[in-house]
């Protein structure tokens, strides 16, 4: 698919990727409700003089120029396309720190909505994003309704924005966070 972006209408030219380097804080790890890394899994190796990243995130802004919400306001969003921290480095809030930094990026651009797709059968991802304030997206007719205990809400127009500018898959559900 890497060389077939145009054929599928994909555009990753505005995607940014950040890597986490450095020393992991001594505190932690935070207890995880899931099993540890399998014994048969081996981390990749790099040259001795090359720093090894602990994790990464790829993201982009979705900014359609003429898209309007149901209340006449232009809306853009920050889409998280990929986030990962090595199993051995999890529990130290590295992924959560990345999400916090993304939220700051969104605020700098006055972007009110963060968006991510989570696979139906990805309990670790659902737990992670839930701990970081994301909830499953539901459509509402009330443009002023943002969230309750279980869901974040968006209008049909906002949902169409996500369909138009975000990478969507058939086996995932939308999770969002209003900033």
């Amino acid at each position: 698919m890497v060389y077939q972006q145009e054929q599928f209408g994909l555009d990753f030219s505005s995607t940014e990727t950040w890597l986490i380097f450095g020393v992991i804080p001594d505190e932690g790890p935070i207890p995880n409700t899931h099993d540890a890394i399998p014994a048969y899994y081996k981390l990749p190796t790099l040259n001795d003089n090359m720093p090894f990243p602990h994790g990464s995130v790829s993201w982009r802004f979705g900014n359609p120029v003429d898209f309007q919400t149901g209340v006449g306001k232009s809306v853009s969003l920050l889409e998280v396309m990929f986030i990962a921290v090595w199993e051995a480095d999890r529990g130290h809030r590295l992924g959560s720190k990345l999400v916090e930094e993304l939220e700051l990026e969104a605020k700098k651009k006055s972007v009110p909505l963060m968006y991510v797709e989570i696979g139906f059968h990805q309990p670790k991802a659902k737990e992670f994003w839930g701990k970081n304030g994301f909830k499953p997206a539901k459509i509402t007719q009330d443009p002023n309704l943002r969230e309750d205990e279980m869901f974040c809400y968006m209008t049909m127009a906002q949902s169409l924005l996500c369909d138009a500018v975000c990478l969507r898959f058939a086996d995932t559900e939308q999770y969002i966070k209003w900033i």
Side-chain angles (χ1 to χ4, degrees):
M1 191 161 87
V2 172
Y3 297 106
Q4 297 176 353
Q5 292 182 43
E6 191 173 314
Q7 177 182 351
F8 292 100
L10 301 174
D11 179 8
F12 298 109
S13 60
S14 63
T15 302
E16 293 197 34
T17 299
W18 297 343
L19 301 173
I20 304 171
F21 292 97
V23 178
I24 295 177
D26 288 336
E27 71 271 2
I30 298 166
N32 196 329
T33 61
H34 299 283
D35 296 334
I37 187 168
Y40 59 83
Y41 186 80
K42 182 181 173 214
L43 291 172
T45 56
L46 298 173
N47 296 336
D48 289 337
N49 60 348
M50 186 175 281
F52 193 85
H54 299 289
S56 66
V57 63
S58 293
W59 61 279
R60 63 184 174 183
F61 287 113
N63 296 311
V65 177
D66 60 352
F67 188 83
Q68 297 291 310
T69 66
V71 292
K73 294 181 185 173
S74 213
V75 170
S76 55
L77 58 84
L78 186 148
E79 176 188 11
V80 181
M81 301 172 73
F82 174 84
I83 190 167
V85 172
W86 287 106
E87 285 274 354
D89 295 335
R90 290 184 185 170
H92 295 276
R93 295 195 27 81
L94 299 177
S96 294
K97 294 281 186 196
L98 285 171
V99 174
E100 290 168 10
E101 290 298 317
L102 291 174
E103 190 170 329
L104 291 175
E105 286 294 312
K107 286 179 180 179
K108 283 183 205 173
K109 300 256 187 193
S110 298
V111 171
L113 181 64
M114 293 179 66
Y115 174 95
V116 67
E117 291 275 321
I118 302 177
F120 291 135
H121 306 291
Q122 297 292 324
K124 284 184 184 182
K126 289 177 182 183
E127 179 182 12
F128 170 78
W129 289 108
K131 285 179 180 178
N132 285 283
F134 286 73
K135 298 175 185 175
K138 292 287 182 192
I139 296 176
T140 181
Q141 303 248 341
D142 179 357
N144 297 312
L145 181 61
R146 292 297 174 127
E147 66 181 286
D148 61 25
E149 292 178 11
M150 294 187 60
F151 301 105
C152 280
Y153 295 92
M154 59 182 161
T155 63
M156 178 59 78
Q158 293 161 337
S159 178
L160 291 172
L161 164 67
C162 295
D163 289 345
V165 301
C166 297
L167 195 57
R168 298 291 316 274
F169 298 95
D171 63 343
T172 61
E173 58 185 313
Q174 299 170 315
Y175 275 61
I176 60 175
K177 177 180 182 177
W178 288 101
I179 303 170

